[in-house]
């Protein structure tokens, strides 16, 4: 009998997913070179405390072979013809599917604050929750890398990068097969017919681990022009410049 | 009038207590609700909107101003009903079926309210027929749809079709917005307009309903 692929469920400590006030203010449209007024900073700090009280971050990762990943990635056949995801994954040493969430108390609280006509706090809490989900994904990625290092599988000059369905040419309908393989329902994340995850503040994807050079690519993909975040460049930069740290 | 100027300024400062105090003062003075609304609350939010558009202030400031506006509006509402104050028009908004994202839609609703429109927010995961039924029942001439996923965008077409099928065009117009949308997509599904953000939603609705700034 084949041994089951390694899979870990990881509750994440709340403090690990609280973003810096400056990050959250930027997400709220306050430019980094503008000094925010006192009330705005207080609002962000209040929201950070509220976020830490309500967040229940948890994640799951499961190793996946390249062949199995090709099946998951193929999804429902709607991906872009060329993507950095399959190109990078095809040269990887290790792959793991993952999902993280900061829990369902946050979206309910945000909705309640809007209903109570506290839009500024609601919006700030929303930004903390979105950024918190990103930090949770980052944390999970680092724990997976730790696990790889512990097994001696991660060589020198290696790194890891994650991609998510809905980004970089990987169609969001890829969520279905990702869920079939990973079963994030076990940590409370469910998938709707529209491929939307519940709780809302959740992230899914693949973590690709391998030699640093596999992550570098030129931006020649058609969909890069439509991308609103360009977050990959920062993350690729972190891998090429060494392993990402907890707060990147 | 000084009191209404103070009311408008309290919104610009995002001072809810002062907004409530000025509104109460204006009501006690016997000023008509329409005037308190137009020259106090809407005037204040108009300045906030302009400064936001000019990048002099940012989203948190706008939302603190909105909170102050709500503090005044809560006191004014009974008087508005009593004096049958007409709003700038009704707009039905919601996030389409299958989608649960609501921050963007909420922000658009706040901007519309700040501009004096009556917003009927149906929430998230709203079926096409519910949008149309509500608009007909409430006499709203604009339906505003929000979607944040490419997989839920097609529901917008169903709303447009439902409006058409019931012969409600051009009286009822459908406007759409959300991160994955574009003007081209809006045109393709037959929507009346694509709105990039809350400010463009306000400008579009004003234009459609012939409301002067
Ligand atoms: C009626 O008239 C109108 C008029 C204007 C209207 C309107 C109606 N409705 C909106 N508007 C407009 O006015 C509002 C105010 O300015 C604006 O509303 P918005 O709602 O757009 O703006 C909000 C105020 C702030 N904006 C946001 O909160 C969304 C920002 C972006 C970067 C984003 C974020 C933050 C997040 N996400 Co994600 N996320 C993206 C977004 C990309 C982007 N740049 O927009 C988007 C929506 N996400 C996407 C994806 C793919 C995903 N996300 C996911 C997760 C997340 C986070 C948790 C990290 C976080 C929170 C999500 C949330 N909204 O709660 C996943 C899904 C989560 C789930 N529950 O299923 C995941 C599926 C990724 C994954 N596999 O994990 C993409 C969807 C693409 C698609 N194919 O559908 C996406 C467009 C990014 C991209 N690829 O460019 C305008 O759009």
């Amino acid at each position: 009998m084949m041994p089951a692929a390694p899979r870990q469920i990881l509750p994440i400590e709340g403090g690990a997913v609280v973003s810096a006030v400056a990050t959250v203010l930027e997400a709220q449209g306050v430019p980094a070179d503008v000094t925010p007024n006192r009330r705005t900073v207080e609002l962000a700090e209040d929201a950070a405390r509220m976020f830490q009280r309500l967040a229940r971050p948890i994640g799951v990762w499961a190793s996946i072979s390249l062949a199995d990943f090709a099946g998951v990635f193929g999804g429902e056949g709607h991906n872009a013809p060329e993507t950095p995801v399959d190109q990078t994954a095809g040269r990887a040493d290790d792959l793991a599917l993952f999902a993280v969430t900061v829990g369902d108390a946050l979206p309910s609280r945000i909705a309640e604050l809007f209903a109570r006509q506290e839009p500024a706090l609601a919006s700030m809490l929303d930004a903390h929750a979105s950024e918190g989900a990103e930090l949770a994904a980052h944390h999970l990625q680092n724990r997976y890398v730790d696990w790889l290092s512990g097994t001696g599988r991660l060589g020198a000059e290696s790194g890891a990068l994650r991609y998510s369905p809905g980004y970089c040419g990987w169609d969001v309908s890829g969520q279905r097969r990702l869920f079939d393989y990973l079963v994030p329902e076990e940590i409370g994340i469910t998938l709707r017919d529209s491929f939307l995850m519940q709780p809302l503040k959740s992230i899914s994807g693949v973590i690709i681990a391998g030699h640093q050079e596999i992550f570098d690519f030129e931006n020649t993909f058609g969909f890069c022009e439509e991308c609103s975040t360009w977050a990959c460049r920062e993350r690729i930069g972190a891998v090429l410049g060494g392993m990402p740290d907890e707060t990147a | 009038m000084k009191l209404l100027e103070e009311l408008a300024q309290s919104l610009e400062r995002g001072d809810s207590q002062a907004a409530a105090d000025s509104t109460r003062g204006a009501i006690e003075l016997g000023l008509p609700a329409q005037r308190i609304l137009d020259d106090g609350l809407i005037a204040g939010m108009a300045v906030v909107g302009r400064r936001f558009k000019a990048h002099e202030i940012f989203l948190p400031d706008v939302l603190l101003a909105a909170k102050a506006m709500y503090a005044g509006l809560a006191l004014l509402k009974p008087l508005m009903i009593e004096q049958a104050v007409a709003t700038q028009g009704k707009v039905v908004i919601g996030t389409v079926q299958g989608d649960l994202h609501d921050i963007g839609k909420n922000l658009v609703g706040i901007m519309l309210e700040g501009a004096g429109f009556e917003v009927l927010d149906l929430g998230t995961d709203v079926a096409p027929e519910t949008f149309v039924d509500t608009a007909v029942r409430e006499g709203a001439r604009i339906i505003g749809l929000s979607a944040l996923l490419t997989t839920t965008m097609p529901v917008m077409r169903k709303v447009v079709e439902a409006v058409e099928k019931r012969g409600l065009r051009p009286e009822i117009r459908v406007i759409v917005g959300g991160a994955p949308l574009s003007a081209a997509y809006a045109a393709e599904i037959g929507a009346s307009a694509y709105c990039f953000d809350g400010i463009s939603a306000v400008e579009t609705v004003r234009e459609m309903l012939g409301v002067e700034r």
Side-chain angles (χ1 to χ4, degrees), chain A residues 25 28-31 34 37 39-40 43 110-111 114 117-120 122-124 126 172 192 194-196 198 200, chain B residues 13-15 58-61 63-64 66-67 70-71 74 98-103 106-107 110 125 149-152:
Chain A
L25 291 183
Q28 286 278 279
V30 182
V34 167
N37 60 46
R39 289 190 69 194
T40 299
L43 203 58
I110 293 162
F114 269 114
Q117 300 184 332
E118 289 278 2
S123 175
M124 202 64 92
D126 183 82
V172 71
R192 290 168 70 105
S194 59
F195 305 115
L196 182 99
Q198 267 180 294
L200 204 53
Chain B
R13 293 196 308 277
D15 187 340
F58 305 100
L59 184 63
D61 306 299
L63 296 178
L64 285 167
K67 184 182 170 186
Y70 286 132
D99 208 329
L100 298 177
H101 291 97
D102 64 355
I103 303 300
N106 290 348
L107 299 184
I110 288 168
D125 201 8
L149 289 172
T150 41
T151 47
T152 55

Side-chain angles (χ1 to χ4, degrees), chain B residues 118-134:
Chain B
E118 186 176 343
V119 173
L120 306 160
D121 186 346
L122 301 179
T124 59
D125 201 8
V126 182
E129 285 304 326
T130 310
F131 281 109
V132 186
D133 290 344
T134 311

